[in-house]
Amino acid sequence: MRSVLSPLSLSLALAVLLLPFTMGVKQEDFKQCSQTSFCRRLRSIANRQEEASAGSFNSPYSLSAPEALEVGAWNWNLKSTLYPQINFQLRVDILEEGDGIVRVRVDEVDSTTPFQRYNETARWALLNTNPPLSSTASIKTASGKSIISYGPTASKLTLEVQHSPLKITQLRNGNPEIVFNDRALFHMEHFRVKDVEKTEEILSDSEQMILNGNKMDRSWFEESDIDAFEETWKKWTDSKPKGPEGFSLDLSFPGVNHIYGLPEHASPLSLPDTLGPHAHYSEPYRLYNVDIFEYLADSPMSLYGAIPLLHAHSSEHSVGVLNLVASDTWVDVRHDADAVRTHWVSESGILDVLLLPGPKPKQLFEQYSILTGPTPLPPQWSTAYHQCRWNYNDEEDVLDVQRKFDEADIPLDVTWLDIEYADEHRYFDWNHKFFPDPVKMIDEVASKGRKMVAIVDPHIKRTDSFRIYSDAKDLDVLIKKSDGSNFEGWCWTGSSVWVDFFNENSWSWWTKMFNLNTWKESTNALFIWNDMNEPSVFDGPEISMPRDNIHAGGWEHRDLHNINGMMFHNQTAQALIAREVPAKRPFVLSRAFFAGSHRYGAIWTGDNMGDWEHLAGETAMLLSNNIAGMVFSGADVGGFFGNPTPELLVRWYQAGAFMPFFRAHAHIDTKRREPYLFDEPIRGYLRDIIRLRYQLLPVWYNAFHDSSLTGVPIMTPQYAAFPEDEQGFAIDDQYYIGDSGLLTKPVTQEGAETTQVYISDAQPYYDYFTHRLHPASAHQTLTLNTPISTFPLLIQGGSILPIRQRVRRSSPLMWQDPFTLIVALSKEGTASGKLYLDDGVSYGYLQGEYISKSINFDGKSLSSTSTKIVTLSKETGLETYDPENNTWAQAISHVKIESVIILGLKNSPKSVKFDDQEVEWTFEYGVASNGKKEGESSELKIKNPGVGVVGDWKIAFA
C-alpha cells in the first residue's frame, strides 16, 4: 500500500491514486541537489577543488597536539582559517571489539550561540552508544603527525592523523586503505545568529555571502547562499531557526575499483559514478527516506530507507565506513585510476564516522554486527510464504483465500490485511461492516497453522472519538510544529497527527495499545505491518514532514528524519514482545529503515512495478540491503503496480521464493492474481515454486540463524562469497543462500530459454532439479536451459542440504516431518553442512533449547555431530546446553532422516552400514565429482537409514 503525491484532500488523494499506472514517479516532487541549499553549498567545494591548480587547494582545517582522554581515546582542538574564532573538536576512539574499528567524531564546542548539533544518532543505531575502548592502542606524535597503533598485532593497523592540513589515513602494513579529507572537502558549518540589525551583503548566487559583517574572503572555499537561514521550495518554507549547520566529508579508498552499499537505491550493487567522464547518474546518491510513487528501476533517487554504510573492496582487502548521520545526505562517487573517491554532504548533525578494517567482507559483516547488532532470529513461520493485496475485502474473502490455497495444494503461512480493514483508516479499529468478528476470523486462520498481519500506520486520525488520538494528545506525545503546536498533516485517515516515538513517554503507552486486554479484537496470531513511516505526509514537502518540526529534546525533524521510521518499527516490535508471557518472537514489517532497523523486523523494497525492468533490478537492491545488515528483506512478488503477464508472474515467483522475505502483494486496482486463480500449467509452476520454498525452509532457517550470530548476509553476493575473484565483483544478478552452497539467479528476460551463470571456484556444481553435474572449472560461465518451468538453482560441490520433501498447508505443521539430506560432493569427494532447529517461535533457544548439528562426509562416512552455538561475543547456553536432552531436543527426538542422496561418487560402495547393520540403498552410475565430463551425476540413495536429527550418528561406507 502506498500514498499519492501532494493531494489537497483525501478525495483528491484517491483520485490521483486511481490514475493509470503509466504515470510513474513525479521526479519534480522530490528535490535535486541544486534545489537544496546545504547540498548546493557543500557540493560546490568539490567543484572548487577540481578547478584549482595542482597543490593550491588545501584544507583550511588543522589540529593542535592530541590530548589523551582515556585509554584508547584522544582529542584534538580543530580550527579553520576561514573562521579562526570558532572552536571545533576532533575525537578518535579505538574500539575494543572488531579487530580495529576506529571512531572519528567532530563537533563544534564552546559556541556563543544557544544551538547544539544533533548528537544522538549513535544512541539509536548502535547497540552501545559509547562502545568499550581498546586497552592496547598507543599513540606517538612527531613532525606534525599523530600515529596510532591498534588492533591485532598481525594486522599491523595504524591511523595517521596529519595535523595541518587535516588528513586522517587508515593503513594496514603501511598501505593506505581509507583516507579522510584526501581532497580537502571536509567542512563543518558553524552556528551563527542571523543579525537583522546588520546588512548581510549578498553579492550574487555564485559569490560570497558575508555574515555578521565579517569581510574575510572565503569564496575560494565556500559558496554564498541566500537560503542559509530560510528556504522556500514550491509552497513550503523551512524556517531554519539554527541557520546553516551542514557538514561535508570526503572519503577515499585507495587501490579499489568497487564500492557497495548506501541502501536503499534502485541501482547496481557496485555503485557507479555520479561524477566525471564515466558518470552513470547526474545526481548524487541521496539518503532521505521518502514515500516515492512507482520508483525508477535505475536511479540514485532516495527511496524508503537509508543506511549510510559503504564497503570498498579489492582482491587484496576490504574496508568499510559507517557514517552515523540521520539528516538528509547526498553522496557523490567517482572512480579514479588509483582509488574510488566519495564526497558526502549532510544537512545537520555531528560528524560520527566508524572505520571498519575488514580485511575481508566476512569481517566487515561481523564488525558492523558488533556495532549495530545482528538480525534476531525471526519466527520460523515468517520465513515461509505470505499472501497480501490491497485489500482483502471482508472476512469471507480472507477465509475463501485459505480454502482455495488448500484446494490447490499450495502452502501458505500468512495472510495480510491492508488499510481497508480499519474503520475510516483508524488503525486498531476494525470496520465491522466487513469484519464483524475479527477474533473468530483470526482463530479460523490460525487453526490451519497460519498467521495474519494487519497494517498499523503512524498517521493517526485527528478526531476526539478515536482513542489513539485522544490518548496521544492527552499524553502530549505528538510531533510539534516549529511554533510548538501539534503538527497536523494529511494521509490515509484524512487530517492526521503523528506520535513522536523519540519521546520516551510514548513507549509504554504504545506497548499497551497492543496488549490483548486493550486491543480486544486481536489475538496472538495477529502480527503487524508498519507502512508509511518515512514519514509519509501527503500535503508535506517531498511527501513528508516539514524539516522544522520539533521532536522530544527540542531536536528538529531535519536532524533525525532517517531514524523516524526505525523508532516506530522498534516500539511496535517491543509491544508485540510484551503482549505475551513468556514472550514470543515478534514479526513487524517496516517500509522505512536506518542502520540498526534490522534488530526489529523485516522490510520490503516498496511500491515496485510489475514489469521486467523492476524484476531485474530487485536482486541488486536486496543484495545491497543484505550487506548492510538488512537481511530480512524482499520485494512485492508480482510487482505492486500493474498486471504482469503469466510468464512474468511465474518469473516473479521464482525470484521471490529465493528472497528472505517472500510475499506477494498487489495494488487495489490490479487484477486478482493469487496463484490458485490460474489455469494449468501456470498454476502448476506457481505451486511448484512455493512448495520448493517450503522444502528448503531448513536451509533458509540455517541462514537466518547464521546471520543472527555474526551478521553475515542471507543473500550473499558474488564478491562476498569469493572476495579474491575480480571477475565476480560487479555481478549483482545471482547470489548464494547464506553459506549453504545454493546458488540461484532469477530469470529476468522475457522469453528467455537459456540463462548464463558465472562460477568463481574450481568446484563442481549440480543442478538442483536434475542433478546434472557441471565439472569443476574456475571462472567459467555456464549456459543453462531455463524455459518458463525452471530457473538456475545450483548446488556447489562440497555442500550438504537438509530439506523436508513433504509439504503441508503451513510450515508450523511440518515440525515433526522427516528430513532428506542432499550431499553434493566436492572434487575432493567430501562435503559438509549443518542443521539448526528450535521451536521457531519462543526465546527458549537462548537458554539452550535447540539442536545444532554439523554434518560431514569424508569419503568413508557420513556423520552428524552436535555443536554448541558461538556468537561474536560469547557462547550461548554453554552451561545449560544438553544437545540431546533439552526440552526441544526431547520434543523432536522421534524426527528421522528418511533419506540421503549422495551426488558425484565415482564408484558404488560395497556396503553402507549404520551401527554395523546394512541399510537399504541403491546406486546409479553417472558423472563423478572429480571428473571433467558434464552429465547426470551418479546418485547413491539411502532409504530410512535409522538415524534421527537429534542424536550423534555415523553411517559407514565400504
Side-chain angles (χ1 to χ4, degrees), residues 180-348:
F180 169 88
N181 212 28
D182 179 39
R183 292 185 286 161
L185 306 184
F186 166 71
H187 186 39
M188 181 166 279
E189 296 179 328
H190 66 279
F191 287 125
R192 63 205 86 179
V193 177
K194 184 177 182 181
D195 188 351
V196 297
E197 299 300 324
K198 295 182 178 180
T199 301
E200 296 176 356
E201 182 184 353
I202 303 173
L203 302 176
S204 74
D205 285 346
S206 61
E207 293 176 323
Q208 168 195 14
M209 180 173 73
I210 302 172
L211 298 171
N212 298 329
N214 191 331
K215 302 295 184 180
M216 179 183 292
D217 180 11
R218 306 182 183 95
S219 60
W220 69 273
F221 193 82
E222 288 188 324
E223 180 176 285
S224 66
D225 193 338
I226 60 173
D227 296 327
F229 287 94
E230 184 177 272
E231 184 171 3
T232 298
W233 181 70
K234 294 193 172 182
K235 66 178 183 179
W236 298 280
T237 297
D238 180 4
S239 63
K240 294 190 181 180
K242 293 192 285 187
E245 52 175 324
F247 69 93
S248 69
L249 65 150
D250 69 270
L251 293 165
S252 296
F253 304 96
V256 306
N257 291 316
H258 296 273
I259 62 170
Y260 312 96
L262 298 182
E264 182 178 43
H265 294 98
S267 65
L269 177 65
S270 179
L271 296 174
D273 286 352
T274 61
L275 294 170
H278 305 295
H280 183 67
Y281 301 123
S282 59
E283 284 285 299
Y285 298 95
R286 190 182 184 194
L287 295 171
Y288 189 70
N289 295 356
V290 292
D291 176 0
I292 194 164
F293 184 81
E294 295 181 338
Y295 59 83
L296 298 174
D298 184 12
S299 171
M301 289 180 69
S302 54
L303 293 177
Y304 313 94
I307 300 180
L309 174 77
L310 272 183
H311 287 185
H313 179 68
S314 74
S315 58
E316 286 80 31
H317 73 275
S318 301
V319 291
V321 294
L322 173 61
N323 183 12
L324 289 178
V325 59
S327 62
D328 192 3
T329 296
W330 304 71
V331 185
D332 272 312
V333 172
R334 192 183 76 197
H335 289 69
D336 295 326
D338 61 332
V340 177
R341 293 182 166 86
T342 65
H343 183 202
W344 307 58
V345 297
S346 299
E347 183 173 17
S348 66

Side-chain angles (χ1 to χ4, degrees), residues 460-466 469 487-489 493-497:
I460 295 171
K461 189 173 184 64
R462 191 180 62 85
T463 177
D464 288 332
S465 63
F466 186 31
Y469 170 69
F487 170 72
E488 299 171 11
T493 56
S495 181
S496 305
V497 295

Side-chain angles (χ1 to χ4, degrees), residues 54 72 150 156 160 170 266 300 341 357 521 545 559 666 672 676 678 682 684 698 769 842:
Y150 59 98
K156 296 182 179 179
E160 181 178 286
Q170 176 186 291
R341 293 182 166 86
E521 292 186 313
M545 190 168 283
D559 298 322
R672 293 288 287 258
Y676 54 74
F678 295 85
I682 299 302
F769 303 108
S842 79

Side-chain angles (χ1 to χ4, degrees), residues 32-251:
Q32 295 186 346
C33 178
S34 61
Q35 299 171 306
T36 307
S37 172
F38 78 90
C39 192
R40 284 198 306 269
R41 293 195 305 270
L42 296 170
R43 196 185 189 207
S44 71
I45 301 174
N47 297 333
R48 288 166 168 72
Q49 190 268 347
E50 286 290 311
E51 295 166 357
S53 57
S56 66
F57 190 94
N58 295 311
S59 174
Y61 290 90
S62 60
L63 301 171
S64 63
E67 171 193 1
L69 297 175
E70 53 185 302
V71 176
W74 298 269
N75 263 355
W76 288 259
N77 291 325
L78 175 63
K79 286 283 192 176
S80 168
T81 57
L82 299 177
Y83 300 98
Q85 76 279 17
I86 305 300
N87 298 311
F88 300 95
Q89 197 165 74
L90 168 74
R91 173 171 173 152
V92 172
D93 293 350
I94 309 298
L95 305 192
E96 180 180 35
E97 293 187 278
D99 292 337
I101 298 174
V102 175
R103 187 178 190 181
V104 178
R105 282 176 281 184
V106 176
D107 195 2
E108 183 176 350
V109 295
D110 303 324
S111 174
T112 59
T113 73
F115 305 139
Q116 182 181 4
R117 304 183 76 92
Y118 185 69
N119 59 9
E120 295 188 357
T121 302
R123 177 184 177 189
W124 311 117
L126 302 186
L127 284 180
N128 187 338
T129 305
N130 292 294
L133 303 179
S134 168
S135 60
T136 60
S138 61
I139 190 169
K140 293 181 180 179
T141 299
S143 304
K145 292 182 180 179
S146 298
I147 309 294
I148 302 174
S149 301
Y150 59 98
T153 303
S155 298
K156 296 182 179 179
L157 289 169
T158 55
L159 193 75
E160 181 178 286
V161 182
Q162 178 179 290
H163 294 181
S164 183
L166 169 67
K167 185 163 74 170
I168 302 174
T169 306
Q170 176 186 291
L171 305 98
R172 184 184 296 272
N173 292 317
N175 298 313
E177 296 182 340
I178 305 175
V179 186
F180 169 88
N181 212 28
D182 179 39
R183 292 185 286 161
L185 306 184
F186 166 71
H187 186 39
M188 181 166 279
E189 296 179 328
H190 66 279
F191 287 125
R192 63 205 86 179
V193 177
K194 184 177 182 181
D195 188 351
V196 297
E197 299 300 324
K198 295 182 178 180
T199 301
E200 296 176 356
E201 182 184 353
I202 303 173
L203 302 176
S204 74
D205 285 346
S206 61
E207 293 176 323
Q208 168 195 14
M209 180 173 73
I210 302 172
L211 298 171
N212 298 329
N214 191 331
K215 302 295 184 180
M216 179 183 292
D217 180 11
R218 306 182 183 95
S219 60
W220 69 273
F221 193 82
E222 288 188 324
E223 180 176 285
S224 66
D225 193 338
I226 60 173
D227 296 327
F229 287 94
E230 184 177 272
E231 184 171 3
T232 298
W233 181 70
K234 294 193 172 182
K235 66 178 183 179
W236 298 280
T237 297
D238 180 4
S239 63
K240 294 190 181 180
K242 293 192 285 187
E245 52 175 324
F247 69 93
S248 69
L249 65 150
D250 69 270
L251 293 165

